[in-house]
Amino acid sequence: MKLLDKLFEQQTRHLAQRSSRRGMLKAIGGLLVGAGTIPLLPVARAAAADAPGRPTEKGDPASCDYWRYCAIDGFLCSCCGGSENTCPPGTEMSPVTWIGTCRNPADGRNYVISYNDCCGKSSCGACLCQRDEGDRPLYRPDKTNDINWCLGTTSLAYHCSTAIVVGVAFEAE
Amino acid sequence: MRLALTLYLALLGGAAWAGDINSQRAQFNYQMSCQGCHAPDGSGAGEVPRMREHVGIFLATEAGREYLVRVPGSAVSALGDAELAEVLNWIVREFAGASITLHFEPYTPQEVGQLRQYPLNEVVQYRAQLLADIASANLRE
């Protein structure tokens, strides 16, 4: 029994001499921050981007050859103070919209793109982009991008177009 | 064993709601042919009629049921009969909510194919009259 006592005493003293309470706090703090950082690593984010509706993307949303613009006909909101998803300040996004599909080169899948127009100001005039894939003549009004889609907004004035991913295209197997 | 499996699958298929809806295909066709005006959740916009918590009202009468196929957005859409029937059944399932009061018999491709031969012209007036008729029929009950 004495041997055991001595052994523990030695071990405890050894620990007390070699470690500090602050060191303990530091270790716990390091663990907490470290565990919190792991989900932010690029690996985890790349996996999360596979969720439908949030595709992995590459390219410049202010350039006409950006993948989402395959069916667009208008000024890019990305060049007009907005983005590919949002309207510039002072304009209103039309709830009525022209919808098409585009192939995302990053993952090879087709996505449903909603080209919601931003309305309420005169034409932006920057980055005119007209790629028109899937555009149909005016006699198919739901499938033409030649009409003014500022419908359902307070103003009919067209300013620029967004290109919002609203889903994944269905492909028959 | 194979017979049992076939029977089981047939039962599963029969249990599926509204004549076998492929939800992904139906939603895609809705997005491509309807959502641009009726909005992602069927709530409509401006003068575009709302379908959410509303579309089921039309299913109270035969003329109303036919209306949902004969309305130009359905009748002259680029969808084939089977796809149109499926997307209509999907719309009823997803959007009708409490607006549906009776048992809903799913649209079939044959029914849709026949009805869409007669697209409506004066839709706004026809729709208003239809809703008035349905409302007065409900009052009589």
Side-chain angles (χ1 to χ4, degrees):
Chain A
M1 234 14 219
K2 254 197 168 150
L3 186 75
L4 217 58
D5 271 351
K6 201 162 186 175
L7 189 73
F8 272 98
E9 191 190 332
Q10 265 178 5
Q11 289 290 326
T12 313
R13 286 186 189 281
H14 186 68
L15 187 71
Q17 273 163 9
R18 290 201 45 188
S19 63
S20 68
R21 279 174 296 174
R22 284 190 185 168
M24 181 72 167
L25 286 175
K26 198 173 105 184
I28 293 177
L31 268 177
L32 279 175
V33 174
T37 315
I38 287 172
L40 299 177
L41 292 175
V43 182
R45 271 184 291 158
D50 283 344
R54 293 188 58 197
T56 318
E57 300 189 80
K58 54 187 176 193
D60 176 12
S63 163
C64 189
D65 55 18
Y66 181 57
W67 73 278
R68 292 195 200 177
Y69 299 147
C70 77
I72 210 166
D73 178 359
F75 303 112
L76 305 181
C77 288
S78 299
C79 301
C80 307
S83 76
E84 71 276 29
N85 293 319
T86 57
C87 284
T91 62
E92 180 190 0
M93 186 178 280
S94 176
V96 174
T97 171
W98 139 260
I99 289 184
T101 61
C102 293
R103 190 178 165 279
N104 180 1
D107 63 6
R109 300 175 78 184
N110 288 300
Y111 289 86
V112 183
I113 312 288
S114 181
Y115 295 97
N116 295 63
D117 285 343
C118 299
C119 316
K121 275 183 173 178
S122 59
S123 292
C124 160
C127 299
L128 176 65
C129 180
Q130 189 166 12
R131 287 172 57 191
D132 289 344
E133 278 178 36
D135 179 33
R136 294 289 176 267
L138 279 167
Y139 59 75
R140 286 234 72 106
D142 60 325
K143 288 285 143 215
T144 185
N145 62 15
D146 282 338
I147 59 171
N148 181 352
W149 282 89
C150 282
L151 303 164
T153 43
T154 46
S155 165
L156 282 173
Y158 167 76
H159 186 65
C160 65
S161 301
T162 61
I164 301 168
V165 176
V166 294
V168 182
F170 176 81
E171 274 148 75
E173 284 159 17
Chain B
M1 183 59 199
R2 182 169 290 179
L3 181 69
L5 190 66
T6 314
L7 278 175
Y8 175 64
L9 287 176
L11 273 174
L12 266 187
W17 198 90
D20 293 334
I21 297 176
N22 178 326
S23 294
Q24 276 179 302
R25 179 175 59 205
Q27 184 177 19
F28 174 63
N29 284 329
Y30 175 80
Q31 287 181 321
M32 293 303 290
S33 300
C34 323
Q35 175 169 317
C37 297
H38 286 282
D41 65 352
S43 56
E47 289 173 24
V48 180
R50 174 170 60 95
M51 299 200 284
R52 177 164 286 276
E53 297 292 337
H54 191 260
V55 70
I57 293 172
F58 292 97
L59 299 169
T61 66
E62 199 53 34
R65 179 184 171 93
E66 293 176 0
Y67 168 83
L68 296 183
V69 183
R70 295 177 62 202
V71 73
S74 290
V76 306
S77 78
L79 297 171
D81 295 346
E83 289 173 308
L84 180 57
E86 182 181 61
V87 88
L88 285 169
N89 292 332
W90 183 87
I91 286 170
V92 171
R93 185 183 78 182
E94 297 295 318
F95 298 147
S99 67
I100 193 165
T101 50
L102 304 167
H103 168 73
F104 169 60
E105 194 59 41
Y107 288 99
T108 64
Q110 293 73 23
E111 177 188 13
V112 163
Q114 207 238 330
L115 288 172
R116 74 191 299 190
Q117 304 297 317
Y118 310 97
L120 295 166
N121 283 323
E122 302 295 338
V123 188
V124 177
Q125 291 93 317
Y126 188 89
R127 184 174 188 277
Q129 185 60 49
L130 196 56
L131 287 172
D133 291 347
I134 293 171
S136 61
N138 284 344
L139 279 181
R140 279 198 300 274
E141 277 171 11

